[in-house]
Amino acid sequence: MTTFPWGPGTATGVGSYPGEDGAEALRVVLGELPELPHLPELPGRGVGADLIGRTAGLLVDLAVRVEPSGWRFGDRPGRDTRRSLDHLHRDLDVLEETAGAHDGPFKIQVCGPWTLAAAIELRTGDRALKDPGAVRDLTASLAEGVARHVADVRRRLPGATVLLQIDEPSLPAVLAGTVPTASGLSRLRPVEAPVAQEALRAVREQAGDVFTIAHCCARRVPYGLLRGAGFDALSIDLALIPERDDDPVGEAIDAGVGLFLGAVPATDTALPPLAATARPVRELWRRLGFAPARLAEQVVITPACGMAGASPRYVRTALKRCRDTARMLHEAAD
């Protein structure tokens, strides 16, 4: 049986939160998710704090800037890159000051190479995804930057076990060939699965000896590809797991892959009773035929996706619901 870096009955967040106060967001995370906290992302702060810009700031020897159409590669680091790095460095300073003595698991998040390639434009205005050579350069640069980021977080949290989440919401579209061209009039050619898998493996492996999680909150999650890339856990939206995916999900669980299940809505809503939140998790596990005790050890409960669109009050409510659901599933298995 695989040993996971978290204890039974654990919950965590996905990544993003509302607002602009990084210190307050971190305090909420540490308070509501003490068993597996993570570094909050606040896209509401603007340029450089979004999913693409935050990770683009980590790229080594590749500069980016913002154009009216979005992020684009440039000749040299400029104001937009500095904003991205400033946001991240401030967050890491706050993390070190607030949680420097943390001695348990701690999760950080970065954008994966395929979602970056589908979003960042070449100097010509085409998406980087169109050019295999550009994708290779982007992947190599990202791998080096992520490795440096992991090392920096470890230096600031010397007693923690760092978990690295790689966000790939665009991966299913990249594989299916549904990413639009710059003009929007056609679609870019699909990327072959072995090529996609190798790029993800390269980023994951260069990060070093770190527990890695692939997060994809879209439909048609490529479970086999992500397992083949060597990820230790998969983070998915529970509501987007159709029964036809039972076999690949079951194979992942049987292979000892951790499962981060998005069981709580990520935007404001009236939550049902606690038992109703836990029921779909139990039903999935029962359908797959695994022992209840294994659920509490192998599954981490999360919101369905990032919570940047939620209200601060709902964030606390949703994170508490994640924690209570995880504990209920653990206690029921005893």
Side-chain angles (χ1 to χ4, degrees):
M1 178 68 182
T2 304
T3 300
F4 298 101
W6 57 81
T10 292
T12 193
V14 172
S16 63
Y17 291 96
E20 301 180 19
D21 188 338
E24 174 60 20
L26 182 60
R27 282 193 291 270
V28 170
V29 168
L30 292 170
E32 300 294 341
L33 304 169
E35 291 86 5
L36 179 47
H38 66 100
L39 186 63
E41 301 164 358
L42 302 177
R45 292 182 293 192
V47 171
D50 59 292
L51 174 67
I52 303 302
R54 189 171 175 87
T55 300
L58 298 175
L59 296 175
V60 176
D61 297 330
L62 284 179
V64 293
R65 65 176 188 269
V66 174
E67 297 287 342
S69 56
W71 287 95
R72 179 177 294 185
F73 288 118
D75 296 324
R76 63 184 65 85
R79 178 181 58 185
D80 299 323
T81 300
R82 287 194 297 273
R83 284 177 177 171
S84 175
L85 291 173
D86 285 347
H87 286 313
L88 181 59
H89 290 160
R90 281 197 299 271
D91 289 347
L92 292 176
D93 288 344
V94 168
L95 173 64
E96 184 175 9
E97 179 181 345
T98 306
H102 180 72
D103 59 0
F106 188 89
K107 182 169 70 74
I108 58 175
Q109 307 82 220
V110 299
C111 185
W114 296 107
T115 296
L116 279 182
I120 300 179
E121 299 174 347
L122 303 170
R123 292 175 179 83
T124 60
D126 293 315
R127 296 178 190 265
L129 184 62
K130 184 178 181 180
D131 184 342
V135 173
R136 286 192 293 271
D137 291 344
L138 172 60
T139 300
S141 174
L142 175 64
E144 185 175 349
V146 169
R148 293 181 181 182
H149 181 44
V150 169
D152 189 15
V153 174
R154 280 178 163 160
R155 179 180 61 80
R156 293 168 182 268
L157 301 181
T161 300
V162 176
L163 283 66
L164 172 65
Q165 175 180 303
I166 296 180
D167 293 325
E168 280 287 12
S170 297
L171 181 58
V174 167
L175 296 170
T178 57
V179 176
T181 58
S183 67
L185 300 177
S186 60
R187 299 291 181 266
L188 296 174
R189 287 181 298 180
V191 172
E192 295 181 357
V195 175
Q197 180 175 291
E198 183 55 35
L200 287 164
R201 178 178 288 279
V203 176
R204 186 192 62 77
E205 288 184 343
Q206 191 157 336
D209 183 19
V210 60
F211 189 97
T212 53
I213 306 148
H215 171 67
C216 183
C217 55
R219 298 183 185 276
R220 305 187 310 279
V221 175
Y223 299 98
L225 185 157
L226 296 172
R227 279 185 56 207
F231 285 98
D232 302 300
L234 305 177
S235 175
I236 49 184
D237 182 347
L238 177 59
L240 299 183
I241 305 179
E243 288 194 22
R244 67 173 180 270
D245 283 349
D246 279 4
D247 284 347
V249 173
E251 289 167 2
I253 294 169
D254 197 43
V257 175
L259 204 59
F260 286 49
L261 286 180
V264 176
T267 53
D268 290 43
T269 188
L271 294 178
L274 179 58
T277 301
R279 187 177 303 120
V281 181
R282 283 202 182 103
E283 289 176 350
L284 172 66
W285 207 255
R286 189 179 302 116
R287 204 166 72 224
L288 296 175
F290 293 103
R294 191 169 174 179
L295 188 163
E297 296 172 354
Q298 199 159 350
V299 170
V300 174
I301 301 300
T302 75
C305 202
M307 302 190 72
S311 67
R313 175 174 298 202
Y314 179 75
V315 165
R316 289 181 181 272
T317 299
L319 296 184
K320 182 178 185 300
R321 174 56 58 91
C322 289
R323 189 177 74 248
D324 291 346
T325 301
R327 288 177 178 172
M328 170 183 274
L329 293 168
H330 176 38
E331 290 167 0
D334 288 341

